[in-house]
Amino acid sequence: AQTVTQSQPEMSVQEAETVTLSCTYDTSESNYYLFWYKQPPSRQMILVIRQEAYKQQNATENRFSVNFQKAAKSFSLKISDSQLGDTAMYFCAFMKPPHVSMRFGAGTRLTVKP
Amino acid sequence: GAGVSQSPSNKVTEKGKDVELRCDPISGHTALYWYRQSLGQGLEFLIYFQGNSAPDKSGLPSDRFSAERTGGSVSTLTIQRTQQEDSAVYLCASSLATAWNTGELFFGEGSRLTVL
C-alpha cells in the first residue's frame, strides 16, 4: 500500500519570503503521479502542482515549484514570494494508475504573516 | 454547473439517524469521487464512480456507508445509523476521466457532518 507522510503539521512564513513544505511517500512502483493540493479556509481543494514520476525535471507553476527526489521518495513544495492568500492547508497526494484513489497526506497548515 | 456542488454544507444529526449527502459534479465529468476528511487528518478515499462501470467501493469503512450515482451525474452518499466517529467533512470531487490524465480533481466545498 502506498502511504504519504507530511511531517510538518504547521508552518508559518513572513510575507514575501520563501517556504518549503515536506512530503515523503512510500511505494514500490516506478510509474506514478504526485500532487500538491491547497485547501483555503473555504474548504475547496485546489490543485497547485503535479509531477509525473517518469519526468526528471521538477515541475514549476509560477511561484510554486517542487523538488522531486525519486530515489529518496521525497516531493517537497517550495513557495516563493509568499502572499497572504497562500495561507491554507497544503496536502501532498499520490496516485498510481490504474488505481484511481488519490492518497493524501495529513496536511500542513501554512500561515503567511504580514 | 460551474463547479462541484455539495449539499448540505452543514448537517447536525443525532447518533443512530440516517443521513444523505448530495454531490452534483461538473457537467460532462464522468469520474466522481467521495473522500472523508476528519479533523487533523488527510483525505480518506471512500468510493469512486466512472461512467457506467461498477463503482470502486474499496474505501467504504463499513456497510453503514453506501453511495449511488444516478444517470451518471448526481451522487448521493448515505450513512445509516450514524455514529459519533462518522463526524467529518465529506468531500466530493469530479474529473473529466481517469484523473491521472490531467492530475486534477475538482472538489466541492464539502459537507460537514456532526453526529451528536
Side-chain angles (χ1 to χ4, degrees):
Chain A
Q2 290 83 21
T3 59
V4 180
T5 302
Q6 294 180 249
S7 58
Q8 305 152 316
E10 294 189 24
M11 293 190 72
S12 64
V13 63
Q14 290 296 131
E15 192 176 8
E17 294 188 347
T18 295
V19 64
T20 298
L21 308 183
S22 301
C23 173
T24 59
Y25 56 94
D26 183 24
T27 184
S28 58
E29 305 291 342
S30 60
N31 183 31
Y32 48 87
Y33 296 78
L34 296 163
F35 311 91
W36 279 97
Y37 274 84
K38 169 185 177 181
Q39 187 181 39
S42 69
R43 287 204 313 238
Q44 191 158 25
M45 299 273 284
I46 304 165
L47 177 67
V48 175
I49 199 165
R50 75 176 72 87
Q51 174 82 41
E52 294 89 342
Y54 63 85
K55 291 186 177 179
Q56 293 185 341
Q57 185 174 6
N58 289 325
T60 300
E61 287 287 341
N62 300 316
R63 297 182 296 107
F64 299 87
S65 62
V66 299
N67 183 6
F68 174 47
Q69 300 291 326
K70 191 171 184 178
K73 298 179 183 175
S74 171
F75 183 61
S76 60
L77 174 70
K78 186 172 81 170
I79 306 174
S80 304
D81 186 26
S82 297
Q83 300 176 0
L84 296 178
D86 295 333
T87 293
M89 282 287 289
Y90 286 82
F91 292 94
C92 179
F94 171 103
M95 175 180 280
K96 163 65 178 76
H99 196 273
V100 297
S101 67
M102 191 175 284
R103 305 289 181 182
F104 287 83
T108 296
R109 183 178 301 280
L110 176 67
T111 302
V112 180
K113 298 180 179 180
Chain B
V4 177
S5 177
Q6 291 188 245
S7 61
S9 56
N10 286 284
K11 175 71 176 180
V12 179
T13 191
E14 294 179 348
K15 178 181 175 181
K17 301 283 190 180
D18 297 351
V19 296
E20 286 188 350
L21 307 176
R22 175 189 167 103
C23 173
D24 196 346
I26 293 173
S27 179
H29 280 192
T30 56
L32 186 147
Y33 307 74
W34 282 98
Y35 283 86
R36 180 168 68 175
Q37 184 178 21
S38 301
L39 185 64
Q41 302 295 316
L43 276 68
E44 175 188 7
F45 168 76
L46 296 177
I47 190 169
Y48 163 75
F49 296 90
Q50 171 58 39
N52 295 322
S53 301
D56 177 356
K57 304 179 181 180
S58 60
L60 294 178
S62 78
D63 59 7
R64 296 186 296 104
F65 288 72
S66 63
E68 63 178 17
R69 188 177 185 191
T70 54
S73 181
V74 173
S75 177
T76 302
L77 177 68
T78 301
I79 309 172
Q80 297 179 309
R81 305 181 302 281
T82 53
Q83 304 294 313
Q84 288 183 333
E85 60 263 29
D86 300 334
S87 296
V89 175
Y90 290 82
L91 292 169
C92 176
S94 70
S95 69
L96 278 170
T98 45
W100 63 79
N101 289 343
T102 65
E104 187 162 12
L105 303 186
F106 293 82
F107 284 82
E109 294 188 358
S111 293
R112 181 181 299 279
L113 174 66
T114 302
V115 183
L116 302 177

